[in-house]
Structures are given as C-alpha cells and as structure tokens.
Amino acid sequence: MHRAGVSRSAFGRLPDGRPVELFTLTNAHGIEVRAMTYGAIITSIRTPDRNGTQADIALGFDSLGGYLAGSPYFGAVVGRYANRIAGGRFTLDGVGYQLARNNGPNTLHGGARGFDKVLWRGEPFEAGSTVGVRLRYDSPDGEEGYPGAVAVQVTYTLNDADELIVDYEASTTKATPINLSQHTYWNLHGDGRDILDHVLTLNASAFTPVDSTLIPTGQIAPVAGTPFDFRRATPIGARINDQHEQLRFGRGYDHNWVIDRDRPGGGGGALVHAARLEDPVSGRRLDISTTEPGLQFYSGNFLDGSIKGKGGRVYGHRTGLCLETQHYPDSPNHANFPSTILRPGQRYQSRTVFAFTR
Ligand code: BGC
C-alpha cells in the first residue's frame, strides 16, 4: 500500500535563469503522475500492468533540456488555440487577426511560442486521498497575435479511483478564440514498441475531414464504412494503411472526431465517455471522458526516430499516440462548428478525465 501525496522539487532552469518546478502526484495504488511548470507538461505517468509491474506510459524526456531543445508537444498543455487555424488567420467582431504560421501555411497549437513553451506557476494541494497541482499562466494581450489578456488555470488531480482529472479554466479581457488540450503521447506498453496493436474505441459517429494541410473542410462526415469508424474496439493498425484519401492526408490518423452526445451539435457540456485505449499485451486500459465536443486522435505519424527520449529510448514511427480532447480544429473559421470564442465576463471551463484500469 502506498500513501497518497504530492511533492515538489526543482527541475532545472530556463536559459533566462528562471527555475522550473516539478510536482510528483502519487495515489494509494502507486499510480504516479509528474508535471512541471514549464508548459504545464506532464513528464511521466506510471501505472501498473496486469501483473502489477509499473511502467511509464507517457513519452517525454528525462530532463528539462530535452523539452527546451525541441519537443513535439510531449505531455504539454497546448493553447491558446490547440490544433490548427487555417493560414493563421481569423476574423472576430469584424477585426482580422494574423498569427504566426508555424506549421506549413497554418498555425498549430498556439503559434511560435504557445502555452507549451511558457513558464506557469504551480501550487500543490492535498485533500485526503486526493492530490494535485494547480498551474496558472497569465497570457498578455496580443501574445502570439491573439486579442485579450487571458488568465488560465489548469489543475491536475489524481484520486484513489485511479483517475487523473484535468480541469481547465480561463477568463479574458477581450473576445478571443480559446481551445485548450492535453498533448500526452501514450504508449501503454511502457516501452519502445509501436502502438499499432493498441485497441481503440471512440464514441463518435462522425469526424471532420481535412485538406492536405490538415485543415477541416467544414464537413461533418459519418464514420460508418470508413477506417475512421472506431465505435467498436479496433486495433489502431488494422486499417491505418488502407487506401483512403483522409489517411493519406494525415499520413495515418491525425483527425478530429465528433464525440456523440445526447444533444448533437452542442459545444460540449456534460462529461461523456469519449475514448478507450487498451493494450492487450500489458493489460493496461485508459478511459477518457470529457466535456469537450471533439477529440483529435493522432497516431504519432511524425515520430521518425530522430528524437531520443527518456532513458535514451529512440521514439520511432508511431511509438506514441495522442488523444486530445478539444473543440474542432480551425473553429474560428467555421460558423457551423461549436464556437471557441470566449468573451469578457464569461468563464471558460472544461474537464477531461483519464481513468487507468488493468
Ligand atoms: C497534430 C499533429 C502534430 C502533433 C504535434 C497533433 O496535435 O494533430 O499533426 O504533428 O500534434 O507534433
């Protein structure tokens, strides 16, 4: 039996000298989650397999230097706008905005220096067997070209139900698009093998097809009869090489699914089950519930062996996958998508729960 707790330690310094802190959350079953103040990044998640053997099921680096040298958003909170905005352009209340284009012709995950590359402030908390860390960041008006000063808070909570709860809150001084997500790369094997044998279920009857630069066409397309139908548990590798234009554009899966809800077309709301990921080898299982309307499933297609991560492990093609609960990509340019505009006086609130079983 373990004792639930949260500890705080130093995790190096940024080039400008500011110290980065690391928080280690542990629950009574020995599940351990580590998160740091740089990028609100989850650096590791240790869970038991069916035999009780612990392993780290999240990709990342051993030290801060790895994250600073260049990371494909391993474990980070992505924002101010998670996912892509076409041409880095949008119009809001009649005013046009231009963001940095950091992904071909588009803006990805907030721009050149998104929320994954800024220093947050962290405060740990403990309430009985529930432990966590509250991370805060004040994004100045005009940061990365976005209007309004935005105060953001992300809370990571670990409880004895073996759930990692991520709560997002934000407020703004001017109307702005906002879309926050968690960019952990999962590998339930907890080793260097690829994730093609992981079995995925998605509670989604539709997805948002994209163009060749991964910007949604605006269509909400049924998944029925396509390799995008994960309503029944299916190994990720089963159809990933099918001849399908959308798989070609994504180089695999890199798309937003529209989570099924009682009230379709809504901008989210109640917590619903969105995804289940199972590893038949280790017996580990991850269930994801969210208040968000969408989920980007990215099958790690751009991992190519050029990154050396924790313990010197080389992250090869598809050795990690992301399940990013969020609003749909490029929503500011699609009137038919649930709105991502936050206005002064409103409160942005969003929750995603990651539940670990075996
Ligand atoms: C995107 C991928 C991208 C990755 C970052 C995901 O959210 O959908 O296209 O490559 O983030 O490396």
Side-chain angles (χ1 to χ4, degrees):
M1 202 63 178
H2 302 255
R3 207 185 71 79
V6 50
S7 70
R8 181 175 200 162
S9 58
F11 199 61
R13 284 178 187 273
L14 297 179
D16 64 13
R18 285 178 298 163
V20 174
E21 288 188 297
L22 182 73
F23 295 87
T24 302
L25 284 43
T26 313
N27 80 357
H29 306 132
I31 291 185
E32 184 204 82
V33 176
R34 294 182 176 209
M36 66 161 153
T37 49
Y38 179 70
I41 291 170
I42 293 179
T43 60
S44 78
I45 302 178
R46 297 181 64 84
T47 69
D49 67 5
R50 65 161 66 85
N51 304 316
T53 308
Q54 299 273 349
D56 187 350
I57 57 170
L59 272 51
F61 300 99
D62 289 319
S63 64
L64 180 61
Y67 292 94
L68 295 175
S71 162
Y73 306 91
F74 285 153
V77 165
V78 284
R80 185 178 300 195
Y81 196 93
N83 216 311
R84 293 176 174 79
I85 294 184
R89 269 192 307 272
F90 64 93
T91 301
L92 177 54
D93 297 336
V95 181
Y97 295 89
Q98 179 68 59
L99 313 167
R101 296 173 177 170
N102 61 330
N103 187 250
N106 306 316
T107 300
L108 177 66
H109 298 329
R113 191 166 157 274
F115 289 179
D116 61 296
K117 296 182 188 67
V118 298
L119 189 62
W120 299 56
R121 302 181 304 280
E123 264 322 308
F125 62 88
E126 278 193 57
S129 57
T130 293
V131 299
V133 58
R134 208 164 276 126
L135 294 151
R136 290 198 177 89
Y137 176 64
D138 293 311
S139 172
D141 189 359
E143 188 178 39
E144 285 296 323
Y146 290 96
V150 170
V152 203
Q153 180 176 296
V154 172
T155 308
Y156 294 130
T157 304
L158 180 65
N159 64 23
D160 277 352
D162 297 343
E163 293 170 333
L164 170 64
I165 303 171
V166 186
D167 282 303
Y168 304 84
E169 284 184 54
S171 58
T172 185
T173 59
K174 292 178 187 161
T176 182
I178 181 159
N179 187 27
L180 302 176
S181 190
Q182 224 298 327
H183 210 286
T184 288
Y185 285 66
W186 304 98
N187 181 320
L188 300 186
H189 295 315
D191 63 23
R193 280 173 292 168
D194 70 45
I195 49 75
L196 294 174
D197 63 348
H198 284 30
V199 177
L200 181 66
T201 313
L202 295 175
N203 176 29
S205 323
F207 76 117
T208 52
V210 291
D211 69 15
S212 63
T213 73
L214 299 181
I215 293 294
T217 60
Q219 213 194 335
I220 308 269
V223 295
T226 77
F228 293 82
D229 192 347
F230 280 93
R231 289 174 296 177
R232 271 196 276 165
T234 309
I236 289 172
R239 300 162 300 182
I240 201 167
N241 294 319
D242 282 11
Q243 291 304 313
H244 192 288
E245 186 182 56
Q246 286 297 313
L247 287 173
R248 187 155 49 80
F249 286 166
R251 301 171 196 218
Y253 296 106
D254 197 352
H255 299 77
N256 168 67
W257 272 254
V258 174
I259 297 166
D260 285 346
R261 289 182 174 277
D262 295 343
R263 196 172 52 86
L271 199 64
V272 294
H273 189 253
R276 168 172 283 187
L277 185 66
E278 294 164 286
D279 169 20
V281 181
S282 69
R284 290 191 182 88
R285 188 197 293 153
L286 167 68
D287 279 287
I288 303 180
S289 305
T290 188
T291 59
E292 287 296 306
L295 179 143
Q296 181 90 6
F297 162 38
Y298 166 56
S299 51
N301 313 310
F302 294 108
L303 294 175
D304 60 3
S306 60
I307 297 176
K308 210 183 256 180
K310 287 182 247 187
R313 183 166 287 150
V314 171
Y315 292 139
H317 196 218
R318 296 175 178 155
T319 52
L321 73 124
C322 302
L323 296 166
E324 307 155 55
T325 54
Q326 57 185 221
H327 273 56
Y328 312 166
D330 198 30
S331 295
N333 294 308
H334 295 278
N336 62 322
F337 289 177
S339 172
T340 51
I341 305 303
L342 181 71
R343 295 184 180 275
Q346 295 178 335
R347 191 142 196 85
Y348 174 97
Q349 275 183 311
S350 169
R351 170 175 278 198
T352 293
V353 179
F354 300 97
F356 306 103
T357 50
R358 58 191 168 110

